[in-house]
Amino acid sequence: MSELTVAYFFKIVWALFLGAMLAAGFRSSWKAENGQRGILSESRSETTVWIDPIVFPVPIAIYAVMSVTVLNREGQGLLNLIGFVSNIYLFTCIYFILLLFLLPILRKYFTARMCATLWLIPVFLFYQPQMNVTLAVRPPAAVIYIPGGVMRAAVCVWVTGMIVIMGAQTASHLLFAIRIKKHSRPVTEGELTEKWEMLKEEMGLNIPIRLWYCSVIKTPFSIGMRKRNKITCLPERSYTEEEAELIFLHELHHIQRNDTHTKFFLKFCTALGWFLPFIWIAVKKAEADLELSCDEIVLKDADDHKRKKYVELLLTTAGGTIGFTTCLSASAQSLRYRMRATLNEKKKRIGTGLLFFIMFFSCFCVGKTAFSTDRNTVENILGQDSFEITSAFYRGDFEKGEKKEITNKEELLEYISGIRADRLLYRYDEMLLNSNEPVISGTDMSNSIEFNLFGKYLEVIRYETGETSLYHIVDPIDWEYMRKL
């Protein structure tokens, strides 16, 4: 078994593991919310699917600190960080945009809970920083060259915009929370508080959740990022027992799923891709899916009367949300679809298998695109006049180990010296060559440098420093001429 086969095997095992963990976590959450017993679903007070979405920026921040301190080998930590973050950025933006266009079909055939979970794929994929890039067994399929000055300016603009957008959203949330607390009072009606506590107990929610009236809101919502700081606010009005039960079930399911954390993740994604209009639209759709999934569980097995009553509630309490809050009734943009979905009793597929497939497939999409800011000739990369090829080989079949020595080393060096190559930002410690592509390998024993030229890539290994660099070849290579050497 070749090294490439072994590497692909571990990549597949990792993808299967992530897919299985997501499928199991989703199934467990589904069973817990629908009152079905299971090994993982019994006695669950929270029904977050596998990993809490709020962790998404945390490992990125930890890896960022480690990249410029502990992992900063030969001063390349910042470049590695930029390369890694660019992978997260590209995948998240492209994935959100694709999901945005596929959403109408997915909503038609699959449950709202599954659609809401699909938006969290980046959380499950990147909860262990660098893991998927580390498991890359082949070079990226596409390389985007951006001159260093332009890249630095673009990164500065992007980071500044991200900080401003996320800072504004966080400040808006905090100011809204202060305003709410200023204009709120506890619910004291015995019937409402008894119904509230009864539903909490039935759902297994054993955390303190305050129930307040608020005079400055139009729609019920829940707020609170910390486990013991949850508050559900109601507009100042009277409620029938049926209305109170529908509102309470909707908000308690939000709290049980930690949807305020999901809202934080979605707002972070908005800041991540702040200059792409499609990302803002996609996040709005994702927020709507959170509400639709709660509508879905509240109206499980509901009759026509209950569904119509729920639609009336949506109409009479329509309003938007601010910050990282969840609400019963969203704005008019998504209200029409929610009302149609509420009245529609069509049975849909749970979607566990689709989640597994998308998670599995996503593992093979990371690291397929790379950035480069440094373009140079092979002569300058290898060391200009100081580099001398002491041994060189042509390998037609790398897996079998068959190789032929290149005797005309001077002509080889002369030919490859003028070829331009882009250095990839991310450091690849080891790249495995494909057995069916020709490889030119050369060594300079005096400078302890080895290079491998394969496909559209150049790999340079410097043994004194232990550094392995990967370059994307810009100019076409005449492999027939190389073979004749």
Side-chain angles (χ1 to χ4, degrees):
M1 184 180 294
S2 68
E3 290 185 11
L4 186 63
T5 304
V6 172
Y8 270 117
F9 172 78
F10 281 110
K11 181 76 172 179
I12 292 170
V13 168
W14 178 250
L16 289 171
F17 168 75
L18 291 184
M21 290 298 292
L22 175 56
F26 177 76
R27 193 70 183 180
S28 170
S29 173
W30 179 271
K31 287 184 175 181
E33 291 184 345
N34 286 271
Q36 302 176 23
R37 292 182 173 272
I39 297 175
L40 299 176
S41 59
E42 193 171 358
S43 302
R44 284 188 59 174
S45 60
E46 292 185 358
T47 54
T48 305
V49 177
W50 186 21
I51 298 170
D52 194 322
I54 205 170
V55 308
F56 183 67
V58 176
I60 299 174
I62 293 173
Y63 181 70
V65 174
M66 293 181 64
S67 291
V68 295
T69 54
V70 181
L71 304 177
N72 191 23
R73 295 174 298 178
E74 295 89 43
Q76 295 293 316
L78 182 59
L79 291 179
N80 287 346
L81 176 62
I82 293 173
F84 171 68
V85 172
S86 67
N87 266 295
I88 295 178
Y89 170 78
L90 284 173
F91 176 87
T92 303
C93 291
I94 293 172
Y95 176 77
F96 269 37
I97 292 171
L98 287 175
L99 190 54
L100 174 64
F101 287 103
L102 291 173
L103 195 59
I105 300 173
L106 295 171
R107 281 179 172 179
K108 185 176 180 180
Y109 296 105
F110 294 94
T111 60
R113 179 60 164 149
M114 195 282 297
C115 291
T117 305
L118 278 177
W119 296 103
L120 302 179
I121 290 292
V123 176
F124 311 132
L125 193 59
F126 296 110
Y127 81 100
Q128 286 186 313
Q130 204 185 14
M131 177 59 76
N132 283 280
V133 180
T134 301
L135 288 174
V137 295
R138 296 289 296 142
V143 176
I144 302 171
Y145 170 69
I146 303 176
V150 177
M151 172 65 89
R152 284 189 290 271
V155 169
C156 287
V157 172
W158 171 64
V159 171
T160 301
M162 182 178 174
I163 292 172
V164 169
I165 297 294
M166 197 63 203
Q169 291 179 148
T170 303
S172 175
H173 172 81
L174 294 175
L175 291 173
F176 181 67
I178 293 171
R179 182 171 176 238
I180 290 302
K181 291 178 181 179
K182 184 178 179 181
H183 295 88
S184 296
R185 64 179 179 86
V187 174
T188 56
E189 288 88 338
E191 293 181 359
L192 290 181
T193 55
E194 286 177 12
K195 173 66 73 173
W196 175 255
E197 294 300 328
M198 182 189 72
L199 292 174
K200 276 180 58 183
E201 185 177 350
E202 288 179 359
M203 293 176 63
L205 280 168
N206 53 8
I207 59 174
I209 308 171
R210 286 169 285 180
L211 184 63
W212 287 358
Y213 279 128
C214 182
S215 59
V216 294
I217 61 173
K218 295 181 179 180
T219 183
F221 67 85
S222 295
I223 190 171
M225 299 296 289
R226 290 185 289 117
K227 189 173 184 178
R228 297 190 173 275
N229 193 34
K230 306 287 186 182
I231 303 170
T232 294
C233 295
L234 305 174
E236 286 270 16
R237 50 160 286 195
S238 60
Y239 298 91
T240 65
E241 183 179 353
E242 186 178 24
E243 287 176 334
E245 181 175 349
L246 291 172
I247 292 170
F248 292 168
L249 282 173
H250 184 99
E251 295 306 319
L252 286 172
H253 277 293
H254 273 311
I255 293 170
Q256 192 178 40
R257 296 172 177 181
N258 269 332
D259 278 347
T260 53
H261 292 182
T262 303
K263 290 292 287 288
F264 176 84
F265 159 72
L266 292 173
K267 296 297 185 184
F268 181 80
C269 289
T270 301
L272 193 69
W274 61 268
F275 58 88
L276 296 174
F278 281 119
I279 296 299
W280 293 80
I281 299 171
V283 167
K284 288 293 183 185
K285 293 291 186 181
E287 291 175 345
D289 279 336
L290 289 182
E291 302 303 328
L292 284 165
S293 65
C294 282
D295 297 344
E296 181 181 69
I297 189 67
V298 169
L299 297 176
K300 178 176 65 75
D301 302 326
D303 56 20
D304 289 341
H305 169 76
K306 193 172 184 179
R307 289 178 180 273
K308 290 177 181 178
K309 190 66 180 177
Y310 196 78
V311 168
E312 290 177 13
L313 265 178
L314 293 179
L315 285 170
T316 56
T317 61
T321 61
I322 297 178
F324 317 129
T325 60
T326 60
C327 71
L328 170 70
S329 185
S331 60
Q333 292 178 345
S334 62
L335 193 57
R336 185 189 305 174
Y337 182 84
R338 285 184 67 190
M339 288 191 295
R340 287 204 307 266
T342 298
L343 294 173
N344 185 9
E345 298 183 56
K346 180 182 176 182
K347 190 174 180 62
K348 297 180 180 180
R349 298 169 184 168
I350 297 175
T352 307
L354 181 62
L355 280 174
F356 173 87
F357 172 78
I358 292 178
M359 186 74 252
F360 178 85
F361 181 72
S362 295
C363 291
F364 294 90
C365 296
V366 179
K368 293 299 181 183
T369 304
F371 286 95
S372 171
T373 59
D374 183 14
R375 176 170 289 179
N376 218 326
T377 62
V378 173
E379 180 182 22
N380 291 331
I381 292 169
L382 296 178
Q384 297 181 341
D385 298 334
S386 63
F387 185 82
E388 181 182 356
I389 300 178
T390 54
S391 62
F393 298 93
Y394 173 89
R395 312 186 197 196
D397 192 327
F398 188 81
E399 184 175 338
K400 293 181 179 179
E402 298 176 356
K403 61 183 180 180
K404 296 180 180 180
E405 184 178 0
I406 298 176
T407 55
N408 197 339
K409 302 177 183 62
E410 291 78 10
E411 190 172 346
L412 170 63
L413 182 58
E414 182 181 354
Y415 177 77
I416 67 174
S417 291
I419 295 174
R420 295 175 300 162
D422 298 334
R423 181 173 182 174
L424 304 190
L425 283 180
Y426 186 77
R427 177 198 296 279
Y428 292 83
D429 291 326
E430 181 180 4
M431 296 307 301
L432 297 175
L433 311 183
N434 198 343
S435 60
N436 60 7
E437 63 188 9
V439 180
I440 297 290
S441 297
T443 306
D444 179 0
M445 297 303 294
S446 60
N447 291 309
S448 300
I449 298 175
E450 177 187 337
F451 71 87
N452 294 300
L453 191 62
F454 59 100
K456 294 290 290 182
Y457 288 91
L458 169 69
E459 181 186 52
V460 179
I461 305 168
R462 304 181 189 276
Y463 291 109
E464 289 185 355
T465 61
E467 177 187 355
T468 300
S469 303
L470 192 67
Y471 297 82
H472 178 255
I473 301 298
V474 178
D475 301 317
I477 297 177
D478 187 347
W479 283 102
E480 183 62 25
Y481 171 78
M482 300 279 272
R483 186 185 63 81
K484 290 179 181 178
L485 288 177

mmCIF file of all heavy atoms in Angstrom, residues 389-418:
data_model
loop_
_atom_site.group_PDB
_atom_site.id
_atom_site.type_symbol
_atom_site.label_atom_id
_atom_site.label_comp_id
_atom_site.label_asym_id
_atom_site.label_seq_id
_atom_site.Cartn_x
_atom_site.Cartn_y
_atom_site.Cartn_z
ATOM 1 N N ILE A 389 22.879 21.446 -9.008
ATOM 2 C CA ILE A 389 22.273 20.114 -8.919
ATOM 3 C C ILE A 389 23.378 19.068 -8.887
ATOM 4 O O ILE A 389 24.157 18.930 -9.828
ATOM 5 C CB ILE A 389 21.332 19.865 -10.111
ATOM 6 C CG1 ILE A 389 20.202 20.898 -10.128
ATOM 7 C CG2 ILE A 389 20.749 18.461 -10.039
ATOM 8 C CD1 ILE A 389 19.251 20.763 -11.293
ATOM 9 N N THR A 390 23.453 18.331 -7.773
ATOM 10 C CA THR A 390 24.447 17.263 -7.645
ATOM 11 C C THR A 390 23.892 15.914 -8.065
ATOM 12 O O THR A 390 24.645 15.014 -8.428
ATOM 13 C CB THR A 390 24.953 17.195 -6.202
ATOM 14 O OG1 THR A 390 23.834 17.077 -5.309
ATOM 15 C CG2 THR A 390 25.729 18.451 -5.840
ATOM 16 N N SER A 391 22.582 15.750 -7.966
ATOM 17 C CA SER A 391 21.941 14.514 -8.445
ATOM 18 C C SER A 391 20.525 14.842 -8.860
ATOM 19 O O SER A 391 19.869 15.696 -8.261
ATOM 20 C CB SER A 391 21.934 13.438 -7.346
ATOM 21 O OG SER A 391 21.179 13.868 -6.222
ATOM 22 N N ALA A 392 20.033 14.176 -9.906
ATOM 23 C CA ALA A 392 18.685 14.434 -10.414
ATOM 24 C C ALA A 392 18.127 13.162 -11.023
ATOM 25 O O ALA A 392 18.864 12.364 -11.622
ATOM 26 C CB ALA A 392 18.707 15.563 -11.443
ATOM 27 N N PHE A 393 16.808 12.974 -10.851
ATOM 28 C CA PHE A 393 16.161 11.765 -11.347
ATOM 29 C C PHE A 393 14.804 12.119 -11.949
ATOM 30 O O PHE A 393 14.131 13.054 -11.530
ATOM 31 C CB PHE A 393 15.961 10.749 -10.217
ATOM 32 C CG PHE A 393 17.238 10.265 -9.597
ATOM 33 C CD1 PHE A 393 17.761 10.904 -8.465
ATOM 34 C CD2 PHE A 393 17.928 9.193 -10.144
ATOM 35 C CE1 PHE A 393 18.930 10.465 -7.893
ATOM 36 C CE2 PHE A 393 19.107 8.746 -9.572
ATOM 37 C CZ PHE A 393 19.613 9.386 -8.445
ATOM 38 N N TYR A 394 14.445 11.323 -12.950
ATOM 39 C CA TYR A 394 13.113 11.405 -13.554
ATOM 40 C C TYR A 394 12.353 10.146 -13.147
ATOM 41 O O TYR A 394 12.833 9.033 -13.338
ATOM 42 C CB TYR A 394 13.215 11.483 -15.077
ATOM 43 C CG TYR A 394 11.880 11.407 -15.791
ATOM 44 C CD1 TYR A 394 11.156 12.558 -16.054
ATOM 45 C CD2 TYR A 394 11.352 10.177 -16.202
ATOM 46 C CE1 TYR A 394 9.931 12.497 -16.707
ATOM 47 C CE2 TYR A 394 10.131 10.107 -16.844
ATOM 48 C CZ TYR A 394 9.418 11.274 -17.100
ATOM 49 O OH TYR A 394 8.211 11.212 -17.742
ATOM 50 N N ARG A 395 11.183 10.339 -12.566
ATOM 51 C CA ARG A 395 10.375 9.192 -12.130
ATOM 52 C C ARG A 395 9.071 9.192 -12.913
ATOM 53 O O ARG A 395 8.253 10.102 -12.779
ATOM 54 C CB ARG A 395 10.066 9.269 -10.634
ATOM 55 C CG ARG A 395 11.294 9.564 -9.777
ATOM 56 C CD ARG A 395 10.959 9.484 -8.312
ATOM 57 N NE ARG A 395 11.981 10.151 -7.515
ATOM 58 C CZ ARG A 395 12.122 9.992 -6.209
ATOM 59 N NH1 ARG A 395 11.345 9.187 -5.553
ATOM 60 N NH2 ARG A 395 13.061 10.635 -5.549
ATOM 61 N N GLY A 396 8.876 8.174 -13.695
ATOM 62 C CA GLY A 396 7.643 8.048 -14.463
ATOM 63 C C GLY A 396 6.539 7.417 -13.660
ATOM 64 O O GLY A 396 5.361 7.667 -13.899
ATOM 65 N N ASP A 397 6.900 6.579 -12.674
ATOM 66 C CA ASP A 397 5.922 5.921 -11.806
ATOM 67 C C ASP A 397 6.452 6.004 -10.383
ATOM 68 O O ASP A 397 7.274 5.201 -9.963
ATOM 69 C CB ASP A 397 5.718 4.468 -12.222
ATOM 70 C CG ASP A 397 4.506 3.839 -11.535
ATOM 71 O OD1 ASP A 397 4.236 4.215 -10.378
ATOM 72 O OD2 ASP A 397 3.825 3.004 -12.155
ATOM 73 N N PHE A 398 5.969 6.980 -9.639
ATOM 74 C CA PHE A 398 6.494 7.238 -8.299
ATOM 75 C C PHE A 398 6.178 6.093 -7.335
ATOM 76 O O PHE A 398 6.976 5.742 -6.480
ATOM 77 C CB PHE A 398 5.897 8.546 -7.764
ATOM 78 C CG PHE A 398 6.509 9.011 -6.478
ATOM 79 C CD1 PHE A 398 7.722 9.690 -6.490
ATOM 80 C CD2 PHE A 398 5.894 8.764 -5.266
ATOM 81 C CE1 PHE A 398 8.287 10.125 -5.305
ATOM 82 C CE2 PHE A 398 6.451 9.189 -4.091
ATOM 83 C CZ PHE A 398 7.660 9.870 -4.104
ATOM 84 N N GLU A 399 5.013 5.474 -7.506
ATOM 85 C CA GLU A 399 4.594 4.415 -6.582
ATOM 86 C C GLU A 399 5.507 3.199 -6.681
ATOM 87 O O GLU A 399 5.867 2.596 -5.677
ATOM 88 C CB GLU A 399 3.146 4.018 -6.883
ATOM 89 C CG GLU A 399 2.592 2.981 -5.910
ATOM 90 C CD GLU A 399 1.123 2.708 -6.157
ATOM 91 O OE1 GLU A 399 0.437 3.559 -6.753
ATOM 92 O OE2 GLU A 399 0.668 1.619 -5.756
ATOM 93 N N LYS A 400 5.927 2.833 -7.896
ATOM 94 C CA LYS A 400 6.790 1.669 -8.068
ATOM 95 C C LYS A 400 8.252 1.980 -7.756
ATOM 96 O O LYS A 400 9.069 1.074 -7.668
ATOM 97 C CB LYS A 400 6.673 1.147 -9.501
ATOM 98 C CG LYS A 400 5.293 0.574 -9.828
ATOM 99 C CD LYS A 400 5.260 0.065 -11.256
ATOM 100 C CE LYS A 400 3.896 -0.529 -11.590
ATOM 101 N NZ LYS A 400 3.844 -1.015 -12.989
ATOM 102 N N GLY A 401 8.541 3.249 -7.598
ATOM 103 C CA GLY A 401 9.918 3.625 -7.276
ATOM 104 C C GLY A 401 10.854 3.606 -8.459
ATOM 105 O O GLY A 401 12.064 3.713 -8.299
ATOM 106 N N GLU A 402 10.310 3.446 -9.673
ATOM 107 C CA GLU A 402 11.152 3.408 -10.857
ATOM 108 C C GLU A 402 11.646 4.817 -11.182
ATOM 109 O O GLU A 402 10.856 5.757 -11.254
ATOM 110 C CB GLU A 402 10.372 2.836 -12.044
ATOM 111 C CG GLU A 402 9.924 1.391 -11.820
ATOM 112 C CD GLU A 402 9.075 0.887 -12.976
ATOM 113 O OE1 GLU A 402 8.792 1.695 -13.884
ATOM 114 O OE2 GLU A 402 8.702 -0.292 -12.955
ATOM 115 N N LYS A 403 12.928 4.960 -11.381
ATOM 116 C CA LYS A 403 13.475 6.276 -11.691
ATOM 117 C C LYS A 403 14.692 6.137 -12.599
ATOM 118 O O LYS A 403 15.383 5.121 -12.594
ATOM 119 C CB LYS A 403 13.846 7.020 -10.412
ATOM 120 C CG LYS A 403 14.899 6.328 -9.557
ATOM 121 C CD LYS A 403 15.139 7.119 -8.284
ATOM 122 C CE LYS A 403 16.206 6.429 -7.407
ATOM 123 N NZ LYS A 403 16.445 7.178 -6.161
ATOM 124 N N LYS A 404 14.916 7.202 -13.352
ATOM 125 C CA LYS A 404 16.071 7.236 -14.255
ATOM 126 C C LYS A 404 16.890 8.476 -13.927
ATOM 127 O O LYS A 404 16.342 9.564 -13.724
ATOM 128 C CB LYS A 404 15.616 7.269 -15.714
ATOM 129 C CG LYS A 404 14.870 6.012 -16.145
ATOM 130 C CD LYS A 404 14.444 6.101 -17.599
ATOM 131 C CE LYS A 404 13.699 4.834 -18.024
ATOM 132 N NZ LYS A 404 13.271 4.903 -19.445
ATOM 133 N N GLU A 405 18.177 8.303 -13.911
ATOM 134 C CA GLU A 405 19.048 9.424 -13.582
ATOM 135 C C GLU A 405 19.121 10.393 -14.755
ATOM 136 O O GLU A 405 19.185 9.992 -15.921
ATOM 137 C CB GLU A 405 20.450 8.935 -13.238
ATOM 138 C CG GLU A 405 21.371 10.064 -12.786
ATOM 139 C CD GLU A 405 22.743 9.571 -12.390
ATOM 140 O OE1 GLU A 405 22.976 8.341 -12.472
ATOM 141 O OE2 GLU A 405 23.574 10.414 -11.998
ATOM 142 N N ILE A 406 19.104 11.688 -14.420
ATOM 143 C CA ILE A 406 19.272 12.739 -15.419
ATOM 144 C C ILE A 406 20.756 13.104 -15.448
ATOM 145 O O ILE A 406 21.285 13.623 -14.455
ATOM 146 C CB ILE A 406 18.407 13.969 -15.089
ATOM 147 C CG1 ILE A 406 16.927 13.585 -15.094
ATOM 148 C CG2 ILE A 406 18.660 15.110 -16.072
ATOM 149 C CD1 ILE A 406 15.989 14.689 -14.692
ATOM 150 N N THR A 407 21.404 12.823 -16.556
ATOM 151 C CA THR A 407 22.851 13.048 -16.637
ATOM 152 C C THR A 407 23.188 14.498 -16.984
ATOM 153 O O THR A 407 24.187 15.036 -16.526
ATOM 154 C CB THR A 407 23.458 12.106 -17.685
ATOM 155 O OG1 THR A 407 22.783 12.289 -18.935
ATOM 156 C CG2 THR A 407 23.315 10.652 -17.242
ATOM 157 N N ASN A 408 22.345 15.114 -17.788
ATOM 158 C CA ASN A 408 22.611 16.482 -18.205
ATOM 159 C C ASN A 408 21.996 17.452 -17.190
ATOM 160 O O ASN A 408 20.965 18.089 -17.436
ATOM 161 C CB ASN A 408 22.047 16.736 -19.612
ATOM 162 C CG ASN A 408 22.650 17.974 -20.247
ATOM 163 O OD1 ASN A 408 23.174 18.847 -19.561
ATOM 164 N ND2 ASN A 408 22.572 18.041 -21.573
ATOM 165 N N LYS A 409 22.636 17.574 -16.036
ATOM 166 C CA LYS A 409 22.089 18.386 -14.952
ATOM 167 C C LYS A 409 22.146 19.881 -15.262
ATOM 168 O O LYS A 409 21.279 20.643 -14.845
ATOM 169 C CB LYS A 409 22.846 18.084 -13.657
ATOM 170 C CG LYS A 409 22.793 16.607 -13.251
ATOM 171 C CD LYS A 409 23.623 16.352 -12.016
ATOM 172 C CE LYS A 409 23.643 14.872 -11.646
ATOM 173 N NZ LYS A 409 24.259 14.040 -12.714
ATOM 174 N N GLU A 410 23.183 20.297 -15.988
ATOM 175 C CA GLU A 410 23.315 21.717 -16.313
ATOM 176 C C GLU A 410 22.159 22.169 -17.213
ATOM 177 O O GLU A 410 21.586 23.252 -17.020
ATOM 178 C CB GLU A 410 24.649 21.996 -17.019
ATOM 179 C CG GLU A 410 25.874 21.833 -16.138
ATOM 180 C CD GLU A 410 26.259 20.361 -15.948
ATOM 181 O OE1 GLU A 410 25.669 19.506 -16.676
ATOM 182 O OE2 GLU A 410 27.085 20.062 -15.091
ATOM 183 N N GLU A 411 21.800 21.337 -18.178
ATOM 184 C CA GLU A 411 20.705 21.688 -19.075
ATOM 185 C C GLU A 411 19.369 21.692 -18.328
ATOM 186 O O GLU A 411 18.503 22.526 -18.599
ATOM 187 C CB GLU A 411 20.646 20.697 -20.244
ATOM 188 C CG GLU A 411 19.696 21.135 -21.354
ATOM 189 C CD GLU A 411 19.798 20.246 -22.574
ATOM 190 O OE1 GLU A 411 20.777 19.469 -22.678
ATOM 191 O OE2 GLU A 411 18.894 20.337 -23.431
ATOM 192 N N LEU A 412 19.219 20.755 -17.398
ATOM 193 C CA LEU A 412 18.005 20.717 -16.576
ATOM 194 C C LEU A 412 17.871 22.004 -15.768
ATOM 195 O O LEU A 412 16.800 22.634 -15.744
ATOM 196 C CB LEU A 412 18.047 19.514 -15.636
ATOM 197 C CG LEU A 412 16.963 19.470 -14.542
ATOM 198 C CD1 LEU A 412 15.569 19.374 -15.171
ATOM 199 C CD2 LEU A 412 17.206 18.316 -13.581
ATOM 200 N N LEU A 413 18.976 22.397 -15.090
ATOM 201 C CA LEU A 413 18.944 23.606 -14.270
ATOM 202 C C LEU A 413 18.682 24.839 -15.128
ATOM 203 O O LEU A 413 17.927 25.739 -14.722
ATOM 204 C CB LEU A 413 20.262 23.759 -13.505
ATOM 205 C CG LEU A 413 20.367 24.955 -12.563
ATOM 206 C CD1 LEU A 413 19.252 24.919 -11.514
ATOM 207 C CD2 LEU A 413 21.732 24.983 -11.884
ATOM 208 N N GLU A 414 19.272 24.865 -16.317
ATOM 209 C CA GLU A 414 19.074 26.005 -17.208
ATOM 210 C C GLU A 414 17.612 26.111 -17.641
ATOM 211 O O GLU A 414 17.051 27.215 -17.735
ATOM 212 C CB GLU A 414 19.979 25.872 -18.429
ATOM 213 C CG GLU A 414 19.869 27.044 -19.399
ATOM 214 C CD GLU A 414 20.760 26.863 -20.617
ATOM 215 O OE1 GLU A 414 21.543 25.888 -20.649
ATOM 216 O OE2 GLU A 414 20.682 27.708 -21.541
ATOM 217 N N TYR A 415 16.999 24.955 -17.897
ATOM 218 C CA TYR A 415 15.609 24.955 -18.357
ATOM 219 C C TYR A 415 14.646 25.407 -17.259
ATOM 220 O O TYR A 415 13.754 26.231 -17.490
ATOM 221 C CB TYR A 415 15.209 23.563 -18.853
ATOM 222 C CG TYR A 415 13.751 23.488 -19.266
ATOM 223 C CD1 TYR A 415 13.330 24.026 -20.480
ATOM 224 C CD2 TYR A 415 12.801 22.909 -18.431
ATOM 225 C CE1 TYR A 415 11.993 23.975 -20.854
ATOM 226 C CE2 TYR A 415 11.469 22.855 -18.789
ATOM 227 C CZ TYR A 415 11.065 23.390 -20.000
ATOM 228 O OH TYR A 415 9.735 23.353 -20.362
ATOM 229 N N ILE A 416 14.817 24.857 -16.038
ATOM 230 C CA ILE A 416 13.848 25.161 -14.981
ATOM 231 C C ILE A 416 14.092 26.519 -14.322
ATOM 232 O O ILE A 416 13.196 27.056 -13.659
ATOM 233 C CB ILE A 416 13.838 24.059 -13.895
ATOM 234 C CG1 ILE A 416 15.159 24.035 -13.128
ATOM 235 C CG2 ILE A 416 13.512 22.710 -14.514
ATOM 236 C CD1 ILE A 416 15.143 23.059 -11.945
ATOM 237 N N SER A 417 15.292 27.092 -14.503
ATOM 238 C CA SER A 417 15.627 28.332 -13.792
ATOM 239 C C SER A 417 14.703 29.481 -14.139
ATOM 240 O O SER A 417 14.354 30.303 -13.286
ATOM 241 C CB SER A 417 17.077 28.735 -14.096
ATOM 242 O OG SER A 417 17.974 27.825 -13.503
ATOM 243 N N GLY A 418 14.272 29.549 -15.389
ATOM 244 C CA GLY A 418 13.439 30.675 -15.808
ATOM 245 C C GLY A 418 11.958 30.486 -15.566
ATOM 246 O O GLY A 418 11.162 31.406 -15.796
#
